[in-house]
Amino acid sequence: MSSPVVHSLLLFSLLGGSALAEETTTPDNPKPLADDVSLPLPCEGEMVFRYAYILARGTLDDREVNLGQPFSEGETGYQQSFISGYRRDYISGQFVLDDLPADWRTRIEPKLPKAEADNLLKPMFYFVGKYEVTQRQYDLVMAQAAALEGQGEPPACAPPVTGMQARLPKVKLSRLEAERFTATYSAWLMKHHRDRLPVSGRQTSIDEGGMGFVRLPTEVEWEFAARGAHAVSRQELEARLFPRKVDGSDNEGPLGDWAVFNQVAGGTGQGARLLPVGLKKPNPIGLFDVIGNAAEMVEEPFQLVHAGRRQGTYGGFVVKGGNYLEGEMTLFTGMRREYPLFAADGSEQRNETTGLRVALGALSAPRSRYKELFEQWQVEGRLGGLTDEIQDAQDPTKLLDDIIKGSTDPNLQARLSLVNEELKRNVSLIARQREEAAGNLIQSAALVAETINNYNIRLTNLKKSLQQAKTAKDSVAATLYETAMSNGRSALNGAVAIYIDNLATGTRYTDAVIQAQFQRTREELSRKPVLGESLVKRATLFVSHIDRYRKEQRAEPEAILKELLAP
C-alpha cells in the first residue's frame, strides 16, 4: 500500500505546480508575510515564526483563557468530553520588544497597536512556528547531531530539494525524536547563531540566563495561537474554530480553504492525504495548517479534564489540531488526543499522521528578571491594590507581614504565614475579577454613549418631521411626532443617568486598574470593523469622565450630554 507521501507527490504532478509556483518564495516560507521573523537553519535554510502577545504589566502577569470545547449532551464528541474538555488556563509571553533581535523589532513593532504615553501594559511575546516542520528541515537539523557531539565535521550541504516535495511535513516521528530535534536545533543555534536568538532581559545582560531556545509549544501556547491570539476578540477566541473571514462577505469561508482534511464525505472526490505546508490560508495571526494536515505534538504530557480543570494523573503525549484523515465535523481548535510514548513492541510510538510545530522559549525566572519578578511578587495580593482608599503603609497584608516578622514564636509565625498566603491568594483572585469587571464597565459605557448619540440623531430627525407636519398643518401627524419626541427625550435622559451611574461605579476601581483595562479595552474595540473607531473614542471620553468624577464626586447631566454629543 502506498504511503501518504506518495499520494501527495502524485497530486503535485497532476497539479503541475503552475498555480503555486508564483506564490512560492522559498521552500521554508512559501507564503511570506511582512511581519514574519526567522532563525537560520543549516545549509542556508530558515525556520519562520509568527508571534502572539499578551498585554501585561510585567513578567509575572498573565491572561486567563478557556481551552477545549464545551459539548452538549447528544452532540458529536460529548462522550469524549473528558478528553478534550472545557477548562481554564493561563497564558503569557516571555519576551518584550527590547528582548528581540533588532530586525525582529523592526518587523513587528509597526504591526502593534499604537503605543500611548499613559500605557501601563506592554506586549509580552512568545513565538510559534509559522508552518509545520518539514521533512527537509528535520533532515537538515538532524544531520548536524554527530558534529555537535564532537564526532567529526558537519556534513556537506546536499543540493537543495525544491518544489512541493521540499514542503511536506515531517511525520512518523516519536515524541522523543521531536524533543531530540528541538534540542539539536537549539544546540546548533547556540553554537553558530547565538546572536539571532531572543534573550529574556537582553537589556540587563545577555549572560543572565535568559537566552531563548527552541522547544515544542505548550498546549496553552499552541491553542491560544491557533485560536487567533491577540488578533481576535474574546468571543471569537472561544469559538469552535478561528474566524475565517472572506473579503466582501459577512459569512465565513469554508474550512477547506484553511485546512487539509478528509473531504470525501463532502462529495469533493478529494481523497485524504498529507499535503505540503502553506497550500491553504493562514489563521488570524498567520499560522498555516493548525487544523488538519499533520497533527502536532505539544510539550506537556496528557492530563484528563475533571470539573473544568486538569486532572491529577499524567499519561502519554498530547497531539493537537487533528489530521488529514479527520472529517470536517470532528475538527475544532481545542481538539486533543493522547498517544503512548511507546508502541506495544517497546519501540517509540510513531504515527503516520503526527508531526510537530516548534516554539521559542526561555527560562521563566532568569536572573535577568529577578528584580522585576520580586517587585511584582511583593505587591501581588495586597489589599491596597483593590482600592485607592487604603494607603500603602496601612495595607493590612503588610501589617500582617510585620506581625509575622516580629513574632518570636515559630509555631505562631508558621500559622500566621499560612493565613497571610491564603489571604493574598484570595485578594489576587478578587483583583482579577475586579479587573475583568472594570474592562466590561468601560465597554458597556462606550456602548451606552453610542446609544445616546443614536437617540439624539433620532430626536433631531423627529424634530424636522414635526416642523414639516406643523407647516403642512397636519395636526394628527404633529401629535404623533410630539409623543415620539417626548418618549425619545425620556429614553435619552435615562441613558445619560445610566452613563453617570457607570461613572460612579468606575471610581470604585483604582486609577491603575481603570487605565490598564482601558488599554486592553481599546485594543479589543479596535478589532470591531464597523463601530470600533467610534467606540474607542467614547471609551476614551468615559475614562476621562471617571477621572473628573473621582476628583469632583459629582457630574452634571447637561454638561456630560453636551460632551457626549460633541463632534
Side-chain angles (χ1 to χ4, degrees):
M1 187 174 182
S2 56
S3 71
V5 173
V6 173
H7 280 304
S8 301
L9 294 175
L10 288 172
L11 176 64
F12 310 152
S13 63
L14 290 173
L15 289 172
S18 58
L20 298 162
E22 293 181 359
E23 294 182 352
T24 302
T25 302
T26 67
D28 293 329
N29 195 8
K31 298 284 183 68
L33 297 170
D35 50 346
D36 286 341
V37 295
S38 66
L39 290 173
L41 280 171
C43 300
E44 299 185 356
E46 64 175 340
M47 186 71 74
V48 186
F49 292 87
R50 300 294 299 169
Y51 59 90
Y53 68 81
I54 297 88
L55 289 178
R57 295 178 186 82
T59 306
L60 201 59
D61 205 3
D62 56 14
R63 172 178 175 174
E64 182 181 302
V65 292
N66 290 319
L67 304 183
Q69 181 70 26
F71 289 99
S72 303
E73 189 167 359
E75 186 180 359
T76 302
Y78 176 70
Q79 289 187 329
Q80 288 80 39
S81 293
F82 54 85
I83 294 177
S84 51
Y86 191 59
R87 64 202 184 278
R88 179 185 302 168
D89 214 320
Y90 297 88
I91 180 73
S92 191
Q94 293 176 301
F95 306 105
V96 297
L97 269 176
D98 287 343
D99 296 335
L100 310 181
D103 60 312
W104 286 27
R105 294 197 299 272
T106 301
R107 285 176 170 269
I108 292 173
E109 195 163 12
K111 299 291 184 178
L112 299 177
K114 182 182 177 183
E116 304 288 344
D118 59 349
N119 279 3
L120 295 177
L121 310 177
K122 57 189 175 184
M124 298 291 296
F125 297 90
Y126 70 92
F127 296 87
V128 179
K130 180 177 177 179
Y131 309 100
E132 294 163 341
V133 172
T134 64
Q135 178 73 56
R136 170 183 169 274
Q137 292 173 321
Y138 182 86
D139 291 343
L140 286 176
V141 168
M142 297 313 294
Q144 304 293 317
L148 289 168
E149 293 175 0
Q151 300 174 13
E153 294 297 317
C157 291
V161 179
T162 58
M164 294 297 179
Q165 187 175 2
R167 289 165 49 186
L168 283 171
K170 169 64 178 175
V171 292
K172 206 173 182 182
L173 79 165
S174 72
R175 173 69 174 72
L176 301 176
E177 285 171 326
E179 286 191 343
R180 287 193 283 272
F181 169 79
T182 60
T184 302
Y185 187 26
S186 294
W188 183 83
L189 286 168
M190 296 276 190
K191 182 174 182 179
H192 299 288
H193 298 280
R194 190 180 180 88
D195 61 317
R196 298 295 304 142
L197 289 165
V199 181
S200 179
R202 180 185 293 270
Q203 301 304 311
T204 305
S205 170
I206 201 167
D207 297 319
E208 285 287 298
M211 180 66 67
F213 52 83
V214 181
R215 57 164 169 77
L216 293 175
T218 66
E219 186 170 4
V220 65
E221 286 174 341
W222 188 100
E223 193 168 326
F224 182 67
R227 287 178 179 273
H230 58 270
V232 302
S233 69
R234 282 187 293 179
Q235 292 77 19
E236 291 170 326
L237 195 66
E238 296 199 10
R240 183 183 179 95
L241 290 163
F242 55 78
R244 302 176 304 285
K245 301 189 186 302
V246 178
D247 291 339
S249 173
D250 293 332
N251 298 321
E252 291 192 326
L255 182 60
D257 290 348
W258 277 263
V260 177
F261 56 90
N262 187 355
Q263 298 188 35
V264 173
T268 64
Q270 177 182 326
R273 66 201 70 192
L274 188 72
L275 294 182
V277 299
L279 284 183
K280 301 292 185 175
K281 294 180 179 180
N283 86 334
I285 64 164
L287 300 181
F288 288 80
D289 299 301
V290 287
I291 301 295
N293 216 26
E296 301 170 18
M297 292 178 252
V298 294
E299 183 74 20
E300 306 100 318
F302 186 92
Q303 287 178 276
L304 291 168
V305 173
H306 171 66
R309 61 169 177 80
R310 294 174 188 264
Q311 191 260 356
T313 57
Y314 290 80
F317 63 91
V318 181
V319 167
K320 300 287 290 182
N323 60 64
Y324 60 89
L325 294 177
E326 306 280 353
E328 180 172 1
M329 296 308 296
T330 65
L331 292 170
F332 55 96
T333 318
M335 185 177 184
R336 64 204 293 255
R337 297 193 188 283
E338 178 186 23
Y339 291 99
L341 286 170
F342 301 97
D345 62 1
S347 62
E348 295 178 15
Q349 176 74 31
R350 299 175 179 86
N351 303 328
E352 288 274 0
T353 57
T354 301
L356 76 155
R357 186 185 303 265
V358 295
L360 287 178
L363 291 179
S364 293
R367 293 187 301 279
S368 55
R369 296 277 196 221
Y370 272 13
K371 184 175 184 293
E372 177 193 347
L373 284 165
F374 180 68
E375 289 173 352
Q376 281 190 267
W377 178 80
Q378 276 190 306
V379 299
E380 186 76 14
R382 297 295 186 190
L383 282 163
L386 300 180
T387 172
D388 288 324
E389 296 178 7
I390 297 179
Q391 298 298 317
D392 187 58
Q394 298 301 314
D395 191 310
T397 54
K398 277 195 171 184
L399 296 174
L400 187 51
D401 282 339
D402 292 338
I403 292 171
I404 295 169
K405 185 178 178 181
S407 173
T408 57
D409 184 340
N411 291 329
L412 180 61
Q413 278 186 325
R415 291 169 66 187
L416 288 176
S417 294
L418 288 174
V419 171
N420 203 17
E421 288 305 312
E422 186 64 19
L423 174 60
K424 290 179 181 178
R425 188 183 73 82
N426 282 281
V427 169
S428 294
L429 178 61
I430 294 170
R432 187 180 292 276
Q433 292 169 342
R434 284 173 62 83
E435 287 170 1
E436 185 170 336
N440 292 336
L441 176 72
I442 295 169
Q443 282 209 45
S444 64
L447 288 168
V448 170
E450 188 72 22
T451 300
I452 290 170
N453 185 66
N454 292 337
Y455 282 160
N456 186 65
I457 292 171
R458 178 166 171 74
L459 282 170
T460 301
N461 292 334
L462 285 170
K463 186 176 181 181
K464 291 179 182 177
S465 298
L466 174 62
Q467 189 59 46
Q468 290 169 355
K470 287 181 175 180
T471 301
K473 298 183 177 180
D474 185 345
S475 59
V476 175
T479 300
L480 288 172
Y481 287 130
E482 285 173 344
T483 301
M485 286 185 66
S486 177
N487 292 337
R489 278 192 292 269
S490 295
L492 179 73
N493 292 335
V496 172
I498 291 172
Y499 183 87
I500 292 174
D501 285 344
N502 285 341
L503 290 180
T505 301
T507 61
R508 296 172 188 169
Y509 303 102
T510 65
D511 182 60
V513 166
I514 289 294
Q515 293 299 330
Q517 293 309 307
F518 170 53
Q519 187 180 342
R520 288 194 172 107
T521 302
R522 187 168 58 207
E523 185 179 23
E524 177 82 12
L525 292 176
S526 67
R527 299 192 190 99
K528 300 185 184 296
V530 180
L531 279 176
E533 184 177 351
S534 175
L535 290 176
V536 167
K537 291 178 180 177
R538 300 195 185 286
T540 303
L541 183 58
F542 176 70
V543 170
S544 70
H545 282 162
I546 289 177
D547 185 55
R548 187 195 307 170
Y549 196 102
R550 197 188 301 275
K551 294 172 183 174
E552 299 176 0
Q553 294 297 303
R554 63 192 297 270
E556 293 292 343
E558 296 81 4
I560 290 290
L561 179 60
K562 184 178 180 181
E563 291 183 19
L564 289 175
L565 298 181

